Each structure stands twice: as C-alpha cells, then as structure tokens.
C-alpha cells in the first residue's frame, strides 16, 4: 500500500520558537494533503487542506499565520508552527490523497508529537 | 456540511466473539464515501474498510464487514471472531466528494477481553 512518512516523529521545543513538520508521500504523488490535530483521547480535527502549488485552505478557527502550510511538490507538504506556545502541544497527523478517482482514500502518516515547554 | 456521529464511546467484546460498532452520518451530497479507520496505541491510522455510497452491496474485508443503510444514513462495522489485536480506537468517517475532505466521528474505543 501507499506509504506516508512524517518527520520528526516527536519534537520538544521552547516557547516562542518555530517548528517544522514534514509530510512525504513515498511511493505516489499526492495531489492533496491534509493536516490534522489530535488531542488525547479525541478525534482528528482537520486543520487545513493543501493542494500542490496553491495556497492551503484552512478550517474555521485555525490561524493561518500561526500554522504555515506549504505544499511545494507532489510528494512533500510541510507544517510550520510559528512562535509555538504550550497550548500548541498536540499530536499532528498528515494524510495524502493520490490523484482523484482513486476511491477517495487517504493515506496517513504516523504522526508527530509536539511538546512546547 | 457533513456530520458523523458515533454514539458508543467505549465497547468491549470477548475474544472470538462478534461486535458491532455504530455510526450515523449526514450529508447533502449524493456521491460520497464512508470509511472505518482503526487507530491502535501507536496512533497510526489504518483503513479498515471502505464503502462507496453508490454501491448497494455491503463491503467486506475478511473479518470486517459493514451494514450500510443508505436511507437511514447508518454505517455500522461488524468485527467477527474478535482478536486481541483488534483492540483500538475506531473512527467512522465520511468523504463527500464536493467537500474534498473527510469528517471523522468522535471514535469508539474497543476493548477485547481474553
């Protein structure tokens, strides 16, 4: 099956610093990538949808200036948490969808645990 | 808008028995897809089964099957011959093509009792 990787798998940073998380589709081209946030024992909350070469579409309530998303190629999307604060600590998951017509399946990365001190 | 509701926060089943997880959804689209995902303690999301709304036949994947009731907007997951490895969070999800995004339910935590 299709594989999606995320890097890093976990990161600890100081308050006020920025953190970049990479999401890569390893064996397919992803026309669309999604970024989710998951709090402990809760569901996945969609943060934004990104299509290669265009600006990301953010969900209501998600600060686009704080969570910068770049989808520069068909295999790479990045999420940068700028000026991170303890309340940004969470589990971030990306997913990637191949070209349309493939049953709408998303392939998920293993997630990144962010802890902001 | 599309919504997905899972009314069972937790379920338990004896090993080798059968359990059914419930899910209802709502969408105004006529073309949509429904999914069940499993999230074990590793937190890696794993696709369990998928159902295309235009297909009347219920999807089946080995021990996993769904009961898709389109008129009732119900999409339950049946796990037969439950195994210890089935213990996980299970999320029901809907993807209405027009929205280009997936909406997840709140999840059901499944415990398998040896």
């Amino acid at each position: 099956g299709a594989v999606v990787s995320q890097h890093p798998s976990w990161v600890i940073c100081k308050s006020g610093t920025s953190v970049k998380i990479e999401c890569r589709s390893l064996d397919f081209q992803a026309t669309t990538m999604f970024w989710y946030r998951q709090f402990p024992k809760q569901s996945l909350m969609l943060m934004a949808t990104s299509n290669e070469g265009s600006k990301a579409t953010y969900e209501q309530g998600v600060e686009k200036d704080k969570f910068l998303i770049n989808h520069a190629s068909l295999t790479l999307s990045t999420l940068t948490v700028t000026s991170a604060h303890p309340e940004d600590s969470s589990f971030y998951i990306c997913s990637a969808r191949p070209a349309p017509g493939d049953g709408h399946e998303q392939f998920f990365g293993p997630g990144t645990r962010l802890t902001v001190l | 808008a599309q919504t997905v509701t899972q009314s069972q926060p937790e379920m338990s089943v004896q090993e080798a028995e059968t359990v059914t997880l419930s899910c209802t959804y709502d969408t105004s689209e006529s073309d949509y897809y429904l999914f069940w995902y499993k999230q074990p303690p590793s937190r890696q999301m794993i696709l369990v089964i998928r159902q295309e709304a235009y297909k009347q036949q219920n999807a089946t994947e080995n021990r996993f099957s769904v009961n898709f009731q389109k008129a009732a907007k119900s999409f339950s997951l049946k796990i037969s011959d439950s195994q210890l490895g089935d213990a996980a969070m299970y999320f029901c999800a809907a993807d209405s093509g027009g929205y280009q995004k997936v909406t997840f339910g709140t999840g059901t935590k499944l415990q398998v009792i040896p």
Side-chain angles (χ1 to χ4, degrees):
Chain A
V3 179
V4 175
S5 69
Q6 270 184 252
H7 179 79
S9 57
W10 60 270
V11 57
I12 302 173
C13 68
K14 292 183 179 179
S15 185
T17 62
S18 295
V19 174
K20 179 184 285 188
I21 302 170
E22 292 187 348
C23 176
R24 293 181 184 273
S25 56
L26 299 185
D27 49 4
F28 66 98
Q29 292 186 326
T31 55
T32 306
M33 287 185 168
F34 304 87
W35 286 95
Y36 297 88
R37 184 172 181 177
Q38 186 178 31
F39 291 104
K41 299 184 179 180
Q42 293 191 22
S43 187
L44 279 69
M45 181 192 78
L46 180 66
M47 299 175 65
T49 302
S50 72
N51 291 294
E52 185 266 339
S54 60
K55 289 184 178 180
T57 301
Y58 289 82
E59 294 299 300
Q60 190 173 8
V62 178
E63 299 177 57
K64 61 179 66 177
D65 293 331
K66 180 166 188 62
F67 298 100
L68 301 179
I69 292 171
N70 183 277
H71 192 164
S73 77
L74 285 172
T75 59
L76 174 64
S77 177
T78 60
L79 167 67
T80 301
V81 183
T82 62
S83 185
H85 291 283
E87 58 265 30
D88 299 324
S89 298
S90 190
F91 193 69
Y92 293 87
I93 304 174
C94 75
S95 70
R97 172 179 286 164
D102 195 31
H104 285 237
E105 183 173 352
Q106 294 183 38
F107 299 94
F108 287 84
T112 297
R113 180 175 300 282
L114 170 62
T115 302
V116 184
L117 301 177
Chain B
Q2 56 187 14
T3 61
V4 177
T5 302
Q6 291 180 251
S7 59
Q8 305 157 316
E10 295 187 18
M11 292 283 285
S12 62
V13 62
Q14 292 280 350
E15 193 175 4
E17 296 296 310
T18 296
V19 64
T20 298
L21 308 184
S22 302
C23 173
T24 58
Y25 63 93
D26 193 16
T27 177
S28 57
E29 299 287 324
S30 57
D31 180 25
Y32 55 91
Y33 297 79
L34 300 169
F35 305 88
W36 278 98
Y37 284 94
K38 171 184 177 181
Q39 188 180 42
S42 68
R43 304 190 77 169
Q44 171 72 59
M45 295 289 285
I46 301 166
L47 177 66
V48 175
I49 200 164
R50 173 178 60 196
Q51 175 80 43
E52 291 90 338
Y54 65 86
K55 290 186 176 180
Q56 293 186 348
Q57 186 173 6
N58 289 326
T60 300
E61 288 288 341
N62 300 315
R63 298 183 294 108
F64 300 88
S65 62
V66 298
N67 183 3
F68 175 44
Q69 300 291 325
K70 191 171 183 177
K73 295 185 177 178
S74 171
F75 182 61
S76 61
L77 173 70
K78 185 171 81 171
I79 305 175
S80 304
D81 186 25
S82 297
Q83 300 176 359
L84 295 177
D86 295 334
M89 282 291 290
Y90 286 82
F91 293 100
C92 178
D95 179 354
S96 301
Y99 295 107
Q100 200 190 326
K101 65 182 181 181
V102 174
T103 299
F104 287 87
T106 51
T108 296
K109 183 178 181 180
L110 178 65
Q111 180 185 18
V112 180
I113 303 169

